[in-house]
Amino acid sequence: MGSVSLKLGDGTARFKRSTLCSSAVNILMLFSVLATNLLALYAFTYSPKHHTITPFHHKNITLISQHVSLIIKQIDSSQKKLARIENQLLGYQTLNVSRPNLANELKLFLQHHQLPLGKDSRTGITEMVASVGHSCEKSAGLLSQYMTYKVSGPCPDDWSLAQKLILRGCEPLPRRRCFAKTVSKVGLSTWSGLGCKNINCLNKKPNGFAFDRQKYVKATSKNDFLIDDVLAMGNNGIRIGFDIGTGSKTGTFAALMAEKNVTIITNTLNVDALDSDFIAARGVFPLFLSLDHRFPFYDNVFDLVHVTSGLDVGTKPEKLEFLMFDADRILRVGGLFWLDNIHCGDDEKKRTLTRLIEKIGYKKLKWVVGQKMDGAVGSGKHELYLSAVLQKPVRI
């Protein structure tokens, strides 16, 4: 009746719907319920003309009761099957569209669209299908809330809801048919859902909001690498790069690289502030994406991948491998992988990261392990940090 395939590599579920109309299912379900009720009413209200109760009558009543009970069980089973069929007819299997109060916009977004000229000879596809994160089923209520809005009207001011869904694995989010909120002047006063409205307030947050321009132009510790030095290691072949981690929340690294004619895309989420708005206001490119999502870029496109955080995955070395291999995928041969003050915590975590780097086979152009005190970590002690510039090798 319908089909669904999960493409776990990029965390999306693609849905197809059948060409049959689901209204027929509703009519069949209604008829089954009415028939069951009429049969039950007849069985329990019918009485013979003679009121004399005989063993034969007892036997008939018992048989009728057994039949009614069996029919009710069959109807209950049929209703469950019909609900599954309805989901297949509409084209969804991981998202239960038969649940009450599910936004109609969500159903419309996920419907397939036949190609106007039929089957495409190059790709073999016959229809275009929408994508939504397969983990959205666990947050269907929030997803329905996200998709509840006035069509062609202003979108709700719900950036925090969108980020909550993303952090729950509901990524990518579905498109919407509404106009995003616009502001006449970019500024902190326009930020909704946040307590801070000025830079001084943001700087007092545990993770800070400092503009770390200085460390890229004048080193304050041996773990700080200067931008000019790193670009020289790339033989002046660095043109585009990808910046990963919460340390990039101000977009300072991308802004400094722009002065060197290098285009940087900055991965960001909103933590204590609308970081994406702030980065865009500086004329650089923010990418609103969690680190659990497959990077939405083609293979071998970046000259540089810069990482400031995101590599601390606790006791899950496999998670670190997924992230590192995906970063390797988008980095071209000869490109630079810049680990910028990565917090290792202890020697064991450093060894884990080192083994993975050796497993991938990167050439170490620069490698520094040092200790420093960082208030963002919160320990009040000197912590172990790793900074390195690695080069992607040719693989045969």
Side-chain angles (χ1 to χ4, degrees), residues 111-380:
Q111 289 180 355
H112 75 241
H113 301 279
Q114 296 290 337
L115 295 181
L117 300 179
K119 183 178 180 179
D120 183 78
S121 59
R122 292 174 298 177
T123 62
I125 64 173
T126 59
E127 59 190 8
M128 298 297 294
V129 292
S131 297
V132 67
H134 63 85
S135 294
C136 291
E137 167 64 16
K138 299 178 182 179
S139 304
L142 290 177
L143 183 63
S144 184
Q145 180 182 343
Y146 176 77
M147 293 299 290
T148 300
Y149 56 87
K150 182 180 179 181
V151 176
S152 299
C155 293
D157 187 9
D158 56 359
W159 66 265
S160 59
L161 175 61
Q163 180 161 293
K164 184 180 294 185
L165 285 165
I166 288 174
L167 292 176
R168 292 186 177 191
C170 185
E171 191 178 26
L173 290 172
R175 291 172 173 168
R176 299 197 292 189
R177 297 186 294 167
C178 58
F179 296 103
K181 178 183 178 181
T182 57
V183 293
S184 57
K185 182 180 180 180
V186 177
L188 299 184
S189 60
T190 65
W191 293 357
S192 62
L194 298 170
C196 286
K197 298 297 181 183
N198 58 69
I199 295 296
N200 290 333
C201 173
L202 293 172
N203 280 332
K204 294 177 182 178
K205 294 291 184 180
N207 291 326
F209 202 75
F211 294 87
D212 47 4
R213 177 187 182 94
Q214 187 66 22
K215 77 170 189 176
Y216 292 117
V217 295
K218 184 179 181 180
T220 58
S221 73
K222 66 178 183 179
N223 285 76
D224 296 335
F225 299 165
L226 304 185
I227 284 180
D228 288 337
D229 293 342
V230 175
L231 292 179
M233 295 181 199
N235 298 320
N236 298 318
I238 307 299
R239 303 156 300 161
I240 56 174
F242 185 40
D243 191 14
I244 304 172
T246 56
S248 311
K249 62 191 302 179
T250 62
T252 297
F253 177 77
L256 288 173
M257 293 294 278
E259 296 175 2
K260 307 293 183 180
N261 294 320
V262 178
T263 301
I264 298 292
I265 297 175
T266 303
N267 160 246
T268 184
L269 286 173
N270 296 328
V271 182
D272 297 324
L274 294 184
D275 302 332
S276 296
D277 287 20
F278 195 91
I279 292 172
R282 303 187 69 181
V284 289
F285 192 106
L287 181 65
F288 192 58
L289 189 77
S290 75
L291 290 182
D292 285 325
H293 194 289
R294 182 178 188 266
F295 297 135
F297 306 113
Y298 192 63
D299 301 353
N300 306 299
V301 295
F302 288 105
D303 305 309
L304 172 72
V305 173
H306 176 248
V307 182
T308 55
S309 64
L311 299 186
D312 186 6
V313 293
T315 58
K316 300 289 185 181
E318 296 83 7
K319 294 280 287 184
L320 176 59
E321 287 199 10
F322 278 117
L323 176 63
M324 290 285 286
F325 274 90
D326 202 27
D328 174 79
R329 176 185 62 82
I330 63 176
L331 184 65
R332 68 166 174 82
V333 172
L336 302 183
F337 191 54
W338 182 356
L339 300 178
D340 187 0
N341 284 274
I342 301 301
H343 178 237
C344 296
D346 53 39
D347 286 329
E348 180 57 34
K349 289 185 179 180
K350 179 183 72 75
R351 285 192 291 269
T352 299
L353 181 57
T354 302
R355 284 194 295 268
L356 178 55
I357 291 172
E358 292 174 348
K359 179 179 180 180
I360 295 177
Y362 281 163
K363 180 181 179 181
K364 298 178 183 178
L365 301 182
K366 192 170 184 178
W367 184 277
V368 176
V369 177
Q371 290 187 343
K372 69 176 183 175
M373 183 179 294
D374 194 337
V377 177
S379 64

